Amino acid sequence: MFLQPHFDDLLIRIGFDKPTTNMQWEIVEKAYSAKSRKYHNLIHLENMMALYILNQEELTHCNEIQYAIFYHDIIYKVTRKDNELESAKLAIKLLPEYAKIDKELVFEMICATQMHEHRENEAINWLLDFDLQILASPWEDYQVYSKQIRQEYKIYPNILYNPGRKKALQHFLERDFIFQTPTFRVKYEAKARENIKNEIHLL
């Protein structure tokens, strides 16, 4: 797994010492490895980090984006509606007092992953697009993703889950754009809309 070296480098860079970095990784790894996490797990973080690396030359606030990637789903329970807020709070709480990072921006970034709406700060938009790129994956991969989401919500019967999922997906289609950066709109917008329409048809 290539996540931990990136995580260690980031935390050392922003002011953590090595022993604390190791403890922080254990917290992240444990959270994202919970059995209930079929999609919002370490593989999701790996995919986001891969997108970060691929687009790095276009990014600003790189430390903040990376930190937000690791912590944006640190708290994830399908019965809660404040996962993003609580994840943001925890992400800031875990930072050293004098961390070399914009704490307000990190907090805003993580909270923004709840609604995935366009922000003035383009760094936030990049994070949002990394988070949603799965929507534009090949159909076979998208089907795996949609089944993983269904597994995370397995406590709800189809009679409740299907209308809720359909409403959430329809919300994306009703927007002018699903993705917030010009780069992702060109690369992924059409495919994401196609996949979403296909899933709605199957619900």
Side-chain angles (χ1 to χ4, degrees), residues 57-78:
E57 292 184 1
E58 296 190 56
L59 306 179
T60 60
H61 303 289
C62 290
N63 288 346
E64 287 79 8
I65 292 175
Q66 286 187 78
Y67 191 80
I69 286 173
F70 284 111
Y71 288 95
H72 77 287
D73 286 326
I74 191 79
I75 293 175
Y76 183 78
K77 295 180 181 178
V78 298

Side-chain angles (χ1 to χ4, degrees), residues 150 156-165:
R150 182 65 186 99
Y156 299 105
N158 285 340
I159 195 171
L160 293 178
Y161 176 81
N162 289 358
R165 178 67 175 169

Side-chain angles (χ1 to χ4, degrees), residues 131-147:
D131 194 27
L132 290 185
Q133 193 275 338
I134 186 67
L135 298 177
S137 56
W139 175 240
E140 294 78 13
D141 296 334
Y142 183 95
Q143 286 181 296
V144 172
Y145 149 75
S146 64
K147 289 176 182 177

Side-chain angles (χ1 to χ4, degrees), residues 132-187:
L132 290 185
Q133 193 275 338
I134 186 67
L135 298 177
S137 56
W139 175 240
E140 294 78 13
D141 296 334
Y142 183 95
Q143 286 181 296
V144 172
Y145 149 75
S146 64
K147 289 176 182 177
Q148 290 170 336
I149 295 296
R150 182 65 186 99
Q151 286 178 301
E152 289 186 340
Y153 283 83
K154 67 181 181 180
I155 64 170
Y156 299 105
N158 285 340
I159 195 171
L160 293 178
Y161 176 81
N162 289 358
R165 178 67 175 169
K166 186 174 182 179
K167 182 179 179 181
L169 293 171
Q170 194 68 44
H171 181 66
F172 281 121
L173 295 181
E174 291 170 356
R175 295 181 174 187
D176 292 335
F177 295 102
I178 293 170
F179 296 106
Q180 308 306 324
T181 64
T183 299
F184 271 55
R185 287 174 183 173
V186 170
K187 285 185 176 181

